[in-house]
Amino acid sequence: MYSLAELAVNLGLAYSGQADRVITGLAPLDSAGPDQLSFIADKKYLSQLAVTRAAAVILHPDYADQCPVASLPCTEPYVMFARASRLFDRSPETKPGIHPSAVVSPDSVVHASASVAAMAVIEAGAVIEEHVSIGAGVFVGSDSRVGKGSKIYPNAVLYHDVHLGESCVLHALAVLGSDGFGFAPGDAGWEKIYQLGGVRIGDRVEIGGGCTIDRGALEHTVIEDGVIIDNQVHIAHNCRIGKNTAIAACCGVAGSAKIGANCTFGGMCGVAGHIEICDNAHFTGRSMVTKSVSEPGSYSSGIPASPSREWRKNAVRFLQLESIYRRLVKLEKQ
Amino acid sequence: MYSLAELAVNLGLAYSGQADRVITGLAPLDSAGPDQLSFIADKKYLSQLAVTRAAAVILHPDYADQCPVASLPCTEPYVMFARASRLFDRSPETKPGIHPSAVVSPDSVVHASASVAAMAVIEAGAVIEEHVSIGAGVFVGSDSRVGKGSKIYPNAVLYHDVHLGESCVLHALAVLGSDGFGFAPGDAGWEKIYQLGGVRIGDRVEIGGGCTIDRGALEHTVIEDGVIIDNQVHIAHNCRIGKNTAIAACCGVAGSAKIGANCTFGGMCGVAGHIEICDNAHFTGRSMVTKSVSEPGSYSSGIPASPSREWRKNAVRFLQLESIYRRLVKLEKQ
Amino acid sequence: MYSLAELAVNLGLAYSGQADRVITGLAPLDSAGPDQLSFIADKKYLSQLAVTRAAAVILHPDYADQCPVASLPCTEPYVMFARASRLFDRSPETKPGIHPSAVVSPDSVVHASASVAAMAVIEAGAVIEEHVSIGAGVFVGSDSRVGKGSKIYPNAVLYHDVHLGESCVLHALAVLGSDGFGFAPGDAGWEKIYQLGGVRIGDRVEIGGGCTIDRGALEHTVIEDGVIIDNQVHIAHNCRIGKNTAIAACCGVAGSAKIGANCTFGGMCGVAGHIEICDNAHFTGRSMVTKSVSEPGSYSSGIPASPSREWRKNAVRFLQLESIYRRLVKLEKQ
């Protein structure tokens, strides 16, 4: 709970309106009540702004005139709203110290300000830096490292030789450093190729629940600074994901793919192995990226759903496309 | 092991045949042996019924004449078979009480009839109701609640402020309440939007292994009563899934999507964010649902596999469809 | 660290070059330094071979002439490279014995040579054979069995009645034996069909992180010897996966599908329920396999990504394919 004035100080913003107006939470423009803060980041919501009941609105100075309630003007309202969200976060805080049930190797280094929760296991050679929070049941393998201020949620697993940078968030049940899928086809079946690389993750990386990021075969799998990854994403061995790239849920990136910086992937995209994607390439949901991409821009694939009766006919015709094409060419020649 | 008469009593059905016939298990019509119970729910299996060796068959009264063995007639044979399956379930039972290795906050409430297995962690403010079973290594975050009779399998994780209703089943390694994927694009990279909502799950909901259901950004993510969700499904923040909807494995539902009641999704469907799907809409496997659906019915997308040689040609032609269409129109005009 | 001569002995190969040349690791041909071993398995890399700086190269005898450095000739260079990778693996070793924090039922059998790590839970009736490694936080349910020499990584879960064969690898957070997705549609909603079968997994099977393999409804779900499965793959109830089949990440196989031996699936393939796939069928990434396949060969589906502007037009035309076809036929008749 903040007064409008306190909020403005916290966000480093000026404000219009009553300084002691009490604000208890955040809400979208159209549902915000008289004790909630809201924001507008797109002019398409100006009609909602006109009638909002919010206590105050974070907005671009250009819209301040049209705001019927108190306002906090700034040039990046959405970013400022993100910062405000932190002020209202009620996630449980973790306390420094190692829970008595945790099993921490005497050959590891855990900073005194770090928190290691119940049932966590820290192996020999691991390093847990300042203000790290290791959740319940988390496993940190030998010679792995968790950088300053990072937070790992329950039951996530770091194999050995995995480095997570500073200020990262790793959600529950994520796996870092599992073996890459490397096998040689021998006469007697598949022969395992031992995966000798590790995983190197930069700073300010967030990785969602249930993600799997494999260790490299010979070198490391690398996730650069500022990358954000949603739930259930799979990153195969030897991949490199460039700075600030965002990957939505259920994507899969095959082995040795190199993805540039500032790319975005909608949900359920698949990226083929051994390809390269340049910076600033954007893929809508379910794109199937089979070739290298060297031009920034937006790419798509996939067929949107239609009524099954129609779809069935069209899907059959897809399988005849080559012959349809040839028949068309023949007609054209006549 | 039941006699036919005992089985009939348990299911609340009449029967034809020998009362003391011993039945030790269940099997499909075509493989059932002389001590097994089977069922027929579709007339296409009538030829199998004619020659079945089962001890007894659950069937519609209309088919009783054609049954060469004992029968248990009823109007919903498949549902009755489901109920019979429970009688033969040999899953290990859990015993009331808290395992000495579990770490249970003194500020939580665990009902005396509940079972908390080894290595489980229950945080402050959590409530575990009657006859709940908390599996080994499960984490229940602060202020979360598990309703009467629900069962949570090992190593699943509930973050804080997650409410699971009564008689739910949550399979191993499912995650409820991880942060939604909310970030604002700032000059210095992505700024995290703290996810202030929780998760609210109704009664009789089953959620498969490895699922992730994110907490809401401002309000709750909601799963209504009777929803069934298969393994590795992802439900993003702020979604609402309506009563009795069924979602098969590997589906993903993007943020703020609202799905109606009694819908079904085949495996690997993707639902775009911020859309609305009406009640009774059905999606075949791998449908890519990009727009709101307001008409009940069946929808599909995706191209079934064909030999790679043919597929390659047709896929190339897909990328020319617009030009093929224009060439066709031109021909038509001539 | 090995000398070239030691390496040759370990691999059972002859060699050319200086016996005491020190080799400290493995690397690809083009980046290998003078103390690293490399390999060539495809003639398209012959130009890299010509200029390699590697200490030695595993190669086919036919290429020995063209190798500027020491060589280890053999008929299956890639398989031999796989074997060499084992020699350089520095994964932490596990020691026999049960960690004091593990909870092991007195009614289970754990071989004295097996390792049970911290926080693991072994239930009654379970059998852990020689030289098995049970990772931290792993749950092995009642009457389950882990065969000789198998290794299970942290926080994986085996429900009851799951048999894992010998020399298997199960990665972190994999689930074996969760309930199949079986429900009968009743008047009052879905009625659960209790899943009475188990899971039977052969020898030398590797299963990736976050995979889910459901138990059978009436009979077992079966994975045969030598199958390799990448991360986040879902195998539904009653499936059978044939010997040495390889399944890449993020695939899903629906209930009761039977897949033959020596098949390969690229990432993100989906296999429909109740179909049969013959031996030696191969599916490129993201294939949607909706019908039984009885001819060995390569199959594909899916539309590769293209620029969104073009894709949008073509996707619209896809929904008109049936009408385009009819218009073409009409023109042809004229």
Side-chain angles (χ1 to χ4, degrees):
Chain A
M1 202 161 80
Y2 301 85
S3 70
L4 177 58
E6 285 166 345
L7 211 56
V9 167
N10 267 299
L11 297 173
L13 298 179
Y15 67 95
S16 75
Q18 198 183 324
D20 61 354
R21 180 68 178 257
V22 170
I23 292 175
T24 62
L26 307 182
L29 261 191
D30 61 346
S31 68
D35 55 357
Q36 289 177 309
L37 175 69
S38 194
F39 77 107
I40 177 168
D42 189 322
K43 65 182 173 190
K44 76 178 170 192
Y45 296 112
L46 279 174
S47 60
Q48 290 183 10
L49 179 65
V51 297
T52 189
R53 296 168 55 240
V57 178
I58 300 174
L59 42 59
H60 194 276
D62 291 354
Y63 303 156
D65 281 359
Q66 302 173 55
C67 182
V69 297
S71 66
L72 295 144
C74 58
T75 51
E76 290 190 304
Y78 195 35
V79 167
M80 211 47 80
F81 182 73
R83 289 186 195 159
S85 71
R86 179 170 208 159
L87 301 174
F88 292 94
D89 184 33
R90 288 163 306 183
S91 300
E93 286 186 17
T94 55
K95 287 170 198 156
I98 297 174
H99 190 276
S101 68
V103 173
V104 175
S105 166
D107 299 326
S108 67
V109 177
V110 177
H111 193 275
S113 64
S115 165
V116 178
M119 311 303 169
V121 175
I122 314 282
E123 297 278 86
V127 176
I128 310 296
E129 297 185 351
E130 302 94 294
H131 303 297
V132 162
S133 162
I134 302 288
V138 166
F139 177 86
V140 179
S142 55
D143 300 322
S144 285
R145 174 180 282 269
V146 182
K148 198 164 61 172
S150 288
K151 185 171 178 66
I152 303 183
Y153 282 93
N155 289 350
V157 171
L158 280 69
Y159 282 55
H160 63 285
D161 193 17
V162 170
H163 293 191
L164 188 63
E166 300 186 359
S167 303
C168 292
V169 177
L170 184 62
H171 280 284
L173 302 174
V175 179
L176 304 182
S178 40
D179 285 347
F181 196 58
F183 295 85
D187 286 342
W190 299 101
E191 298 251 357
K192 183 174 177 73
I193 299 171
Y194 285 77
Q195 303 290 302
L196 310 180
V199 177
R200 294 294 178 267
I201 293 178
D203 299 332
R204 288 164 291 104
V205 170
E206 180 151 344
I207 296 173
C211 287
T212 53
I213 301 185
D214 279 346
R215 62 193 316 107
L218 295 173
E219 289 157 4
H220 300 312
T221 301
V222 177
I223 313 284
E224 298 185 359
D225 292 346
V227 168
I228 53 175
I229 299 178
D230 198 356
N231 296 346
Q232 297 196 38
V233 168
H234 167 65
I235 310 280
H237 55 180
N238 313 322
C239 287
R240 173 178 285 270
I241 312 291
K243 212 173 154 178
N244 291 337
T245 280
I247 303 180
C250 306
C251 287
V253 182
S256 301
K258 309 294 175 205
I259 295 176
N262 300 309
C263 294
T264 59
F265 291 83
M268 291 191 161
C269 289
V271 177
H274 297 276
I275 68 175
E276 282 196 46
I277 295 175
C278 64
D279 296 351
N280 297 302
H282 305 283
F283 299 88
T284 59
R286 197 165 277 198
S287 292
M288 171 178 166
V289 191
T290 56
K291 289 182 180 163
S292 289
V293 170
S294 55
E295 288 292 316
S298 176
Y299 297 85
S300 302
S301 58
I303 305 291
S306 51
S308 300
R309 261 179 64 134
E310 294 171 27
W311 168 79
R312 218 172 289 127
K313 290 179 195 165
N314 292 324
V316 166
R317 296 304 174 209
F318 175 88
L319 301 178
Q320 304 167 342
L321 265 183
E322 176 64 16
S323 93
I324 287 174
Y325 177 79
R326 289 178 184 279
R327 285 161 67 173
L328 177 65
V329 169
K330 199 174 155 195
L331 271 188
E332 286 176 328
K333 286 193 180 143
Q334 285 173 7
Chain B
M1 203 163 77
Y2 300 86
S3 70
L4 177 58
E6 286 167 345
L7 210 56
V9 167
N10 266 299
L11 298 173
L13 299 178
Y15 67 96
S16 75
Q18 198 183 323
D20 60 355
R21 179 69 177 256
V22 169
I23 292 175
T24 62
L26 307 182
L29 260 191
D30 61 347
S31 68
D35 55 357
Q36 289 176 311
L37 175 68
S38 193
F39 77 106
I40 177 168
D42 189 320
K43 66 182 173 190
K44 76 178 168 192
Y45 297 111
L46 280 174
S47 60
Q48 290 183 11
L49 179 65
V51 297
T52 190
R53 296 167 56 239
V57 178
I58 300 174
L59 42 58
H60 195 276
D62 291 354
Y63 303 156
D65 281 359
Q66 301 174 54
C67 184
V69 297
S71 68
L72 295 144
C74 59
T75 51
E76 289 191 304
Y78 193 37
V79 167
M80 211 47 80
F81 182 74
R83 288 186 195 160
S85 72
R86 179 170 207 157
L87 301 174
F88 291 94
D89 183 34
R90 287 162 307 183
S91 299
E93 285 185 17
T94 54
K95 287 171 196 155
I98 297 173
H99 191 276
S101 68
V103 172
V104 176
S105 166
D107 299 325
S108 68
V109 177
V110 178
H111 194 274
S113 64
S115 167
V116 177
M119 312 302 170
V121 175
I122 314 282
E123 297 279 84
V127 176
I128 310 296
E129 296 186 350
E130 302 95 293
H131 303 296
V132 162
S133 163
I134 301 288
V138 166
F139 177 85
V140 179
S142 56
D143 301 321
S144 286
R145 175 181 281 269
V146 182
K148 199 163 63 173
S150 288
K151 184 171 180 66
I152 303 183
Y153 283 92
N155 289 351
V157 172
L158 280 69
Y159 281 56
H160 64 284
D161 193 16
V162 170
H163 292 191
L164 189 64
E166 300 186 358
S167 303
C168 292
V169 176
L170 183 62
H171 280 284
L173 302 175
V175 179
L176 305 182
S178 39
D179 284 348
F181 196 59
F183 295 85
D187 286 342
W190 299 101
E191 298 252 357
K192 182 174 178 71
I193 299 171
Y194 285 76
Q195 303 289 301
L196 311 180
V199 177
R200 295 294 178 266
I201 293 178
D203 299 332
R204 287 163 291 105
V205 170
E206 180 151 344
I207 296 173
C211 287
T212 53
I213 300 185
D214 279 346
R215 63 192 317 106
L218 295 172
E219 290 157 3
H220 300 312
T221 301
V222 177
I223 313 283
E224 297 185 359
D225 293 345
V227 168
I228 53 176
I229 298 178
D230 199 356
N231 296 347
Q232 296 196 39
V233 169
H234 167 65
I235 310 280
H237 56 179
N238 314 322
C239 288
R240 174 178 283 269
I241 312 290
K243 212 174 154 178
N244 292 336
T245 280
I247 303 179
C250 306
C251 286
V253 182
S256 302
K258 309 295 175 204
I259 295 176
N262 300 309
C263 293
T264 59
F265 291 83
M268 291 190 162
C269 288
V271 177
H274 297 276
I275 69 174
E276 282 197 44
I277 295 174
C278 64
D279 296 350
N280 297 302
H282 304 284
F283 299 87
T284 58
R286 198 166 274 201
S287 292
M288 171 178 166
V289 191
T290 56
K291 288 183 181 164
S292 290
V293 170
S294 56
E295 288 291 315
S298 176
Y299 297 84
S300 301
S301 58
I303 306 292
S306 52
S308 300
R309 263 178 63 135
E310 295 171 26
W311 168 79
R312 219 172 287 126
K313 290 179 194 165
N314 293 323
V316 166
R317 296 304 173 208
F318 175 88
L319 301 179
Q320 304 167 343
L321 265 184
E322 176 64 15
S323 93
I324 288 174
Y325 177 79
R326 288 179 183 280
R327 285 160 67 173
L328 177 66
V329 168
K330 197 174 158 195
L331 272 187
E332 285 175 329
K333 284 192 180 145
Q334 286 173 4
Chain C
M1 201 162 79
Y2 301 85
S3 70
L4 177 58
E6 285 166 346
L7 211 56
V9 167
N10 266 299
L11 297 173
L13 298 180
Y15 67 96
S16 76
Q18 197 183 324
D20 61 354
R21 179 68 178 257
V22 168
I23 293 175
T24 62
L26 307 183
L29 260 191
D30 60 347
S31 68
D35 55 357
Q36 289 177 309
L37 175 68
S38 193
F39 77 106
I40 176 167
D42 189 321
K43 65 183 173 189
K44 75 178 171 193
Y45 296 112
L46 280 174
S47 60
Q48 290 184 12
L49 179 64
V51 297
T52 189
R53 296 168 55 240
V57 179
I58 301 175
L59 42 59
H60 194 276
D62 291 354
Y63 304 157
D65 281 359
Q66 302 173 53
C67 183
V69 297
S71 67
L72 296 142
C74 59
T75 51
E76 290 191 304
Y78 194 36
V79 167
M80 210 48 79
F81 182 74
R83 288 187 196 158
S85 71
R86 180 170 207 158
L87 301 174
F88 291 94
D89 184 33
R90 288 163 305 183
S91 299
E93 285 186 17
T94 54
K95 287 171 197 155
I98 298 173
H99 190 276
S101 68
V103 173
V104 177
S105 165
D107 299 325
S108 67
V109 177
V110 177
H111 194 275
S113 63
S115 166
V116 177
M119 313 302 170
V121 175
I122 314 282
E123 297 279 85
V127 176
I128 309 296
E129 297 185 351
E130 300 95 294
H131 303 296
V132 161
S133 163
I134 302 288
V138 166
F139 177 86
V140 180
S142 55
D143 301 321
S144 285
R145 175 180 282 269
V146 181
K148 200 163 60 173
S150 288
K151 184 170 180 67
I152 303 183
Y153 282 93
N155 289 350
V157 172
L158 280 69
Y159 281 56
H160 63 285
D161 194 17
V162 169
H163 293 192
L164 189 63
E166 300 185 359
S167 303
C168 291
V169 176
L170 184 62
H171 280 284
L173 302 175
V175 179
L176 304 182
S178 40
D179 284 347
F181 196 58
F183 296 86
D187 286 342
W190 298 102
E191 298 251 357
K192 183 175 179 69
I193 300 172
Y194 285 77
Q195 303 289 301
L196 311 179
V199 176
R200 295 295 178 266
I201 293 178
D203 299 332
R204 288 164 289 105
V205 170
E206 181 150 344
I207 296 172
C211 287
T212 54
I213 301 185
D214 279 346
R215 62 194 315 108
L218 295 172
E219 290 156 4
H220 300 312
T221 301
V222 177
I223 312 285
E224 298 184 358
D225 293 346
V227 167
I228 53 174
I229 299 178
D230 198 355
N231 295 347
Q232 297 197 38
V233 168
H234 167 65
I235 310 280
H237 55 179
N238 314 321
C239 287
R240 173 179 285 269
I241 312 291
K243 212 173 154 178
N244 292 336
T245 280
I247 303 179
C250 306
C251 288
V253 183
S256 302
K258 309 294 176 204
I259 295 176
N262 300 310
C263 293
T264 59
F265 292 82
M268 291 191 161
C269 290
V271 177
H274 296 276
I275 69 174
E276 282 196 45
I277 295 175
C278 64
D279 296 350
N280 297 302
H282 304 284
F283 299 88
T284 58
R286 196 163 278 198
S287 292
M288 171 179 166
V289 191
T290 56
K291 288 182 180 164
S292 289
V293 170
S294 54
E295 290 290 317
S298 175
Y299 297 84
S300 301
S301 59
I303 306 293
S306 51
S308 300
R309 262 178 63 134
E310 295 171 27
W311 168 78
R312 219 172 288 126
K313 290 179 193 165
N314 292 324
V316 166
R317 296 304 174 208
F318 175 88
L319 301 178
Q320 304 166 344
L321 265 184
E322 176 64 16
S323 93
I324 288 174
Y325 177 78
R326 289 179 184 280
R327 285 160 67 173
L328 177 66
V329 168
K330 199 172 155 193
L331 272 187
E332 285 175 328
K333 285 195 180 141
Q334 285 171 9

